[in-house]
């Protein structure tokens, strides 16, 4: 035998149970903080006076740290340059939605593409998987040379 008293054994058992309960409560509270969030954007892409048709567009949640970015939706502009993207993800913190456009308007440096990205304001983020509102980006003129524009060979 260990020579332990009944009280000592009871305290050790109670501490073990307490530790398990506290750990369980911490895990449940961490899981409870995950929440679905959604966003939507629409608009029209133009290249000068012509609609920018068949332009690759993507809606992302850009994350910092070890959490990878989340692709929320992707597609192409229509023949008249219009687009609509909508998507959702589950995060513990507010999402950081970004709209990316990959195009060749006024671009003689093929095979690369011009890449422009726009941050979407927080007021267009909705709780749940379906957006309550849609950001109307209006008409986006791709002829501009945007200040933080990038060049990409492959579309990510």
């Amino acid at each position: 035998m260990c020579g332990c008293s009944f009280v000592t054994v009871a305290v050790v058992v109670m501490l073990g149970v307490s530790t398990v309960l506290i750990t369980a409560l911490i895990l449940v509270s961490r899981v409870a903080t995950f929440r679905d969030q959604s966003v939507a954007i629409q608009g029209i892409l133009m290249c000068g006076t012509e609609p920018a048709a068949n332009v690759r567009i993507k809606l992302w949640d850009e994350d910092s740290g070890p959490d990878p970015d989340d692709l929320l939706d992707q597609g192409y502009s229509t023949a008249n340059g219009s687009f609509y993207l909508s998507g959702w993800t589950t995060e513990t913190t507010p999402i950081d939605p970004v709209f990316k456009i990959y195009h060749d308007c006024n671009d003689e440096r093929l095979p690369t593409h011009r890449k422009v990205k726009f941050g979407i304001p927080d007021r267009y983020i909705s709780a749940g998987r379906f957006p309550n509102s849609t950001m109307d980006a209006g008409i986006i003129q791709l002829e501009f040379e945007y200040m933080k524009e990038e060049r990409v060979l492959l579309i990510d």
Side-chain angles (χ1 to χ4, degrees):
M1 291 299 229
C2 73
C4 305
S5 72
F6 174 75
V7 173
T8 305
V9 172
V11 168
V12 170
V13 170
M14 288 178 60
L15 286 175
V17 171
S18 296
T19 303
V20 169
L21 287 174
I22 289 170
T23 303
L25 286 172
I26 289 170
L27 289 175
V28 168
S29 69
R30 296 283 294 162
V31 170
T33 61
F34 282 94
R35 61 190 189 273
D36 293 340
Q37 300 170 67
S38 57
V39 66
I41 186 168
Q42 67 182 11
I44 299 173
L45 302 178
M46 297 291 290
C47 180
T49 59
E50 298 295 318
N54 205 35
V55 171
R56 186 66 160 154
I57 51 175
K58 295 187 177 192
L59 182 60
W60 287 89
D61 167 34
E62 288 194 346
D63 296 308
S64 58
D67 187 17
D69 294 344
D70 302 305
L71 179 62
L72 305 178
D73 196 9
Q74 61 184 328
Y76 294 89
S77 59
T78 64
N80 67 359
S82 66
F83 65 87
Y84 176 83
L85 294 177
S86 172
W88 65 274
T89 188
T90 303
E91 296 280 342
T92 57
T93 59
I95 61 174
D96 297 305
V98 174
F99 174 59
K100 296 181 182 182
I101 305 169
Y102 304 84
H103 68 95
D104 294 315
C105 179
N106 284 351
D107 188 17
E108 294 81 31
R109 293 194 283 173
L110 298 174
T112 61
H113 306 279
R114 296 171 64 190
K115 176 183 170 184
V116 182
K117 64 182 190 176
F118 301 91
I120 298 175
D122 290 346
R123 70 185 183 122
Y124 294 101
I125 300 171
S126 301
R129 295 183 177 191
F130 303 100
N132 296 327
S133 63
T134 299
M135 180 180 181
D136 187 347
I139 298 174
I140 299 175
Q141 182 55 257
L142 299 177
E143 215 171 23
F144 277 118
E145 293 179 12
Y146 292 92
M147 297 302 288
K148 293 188 178 183
E149 185 173 297
E150 299 173 40
R151 299 203 63 83
V152 294
L153 181 59
L154 301 173
I155 297 174
D156 58 356

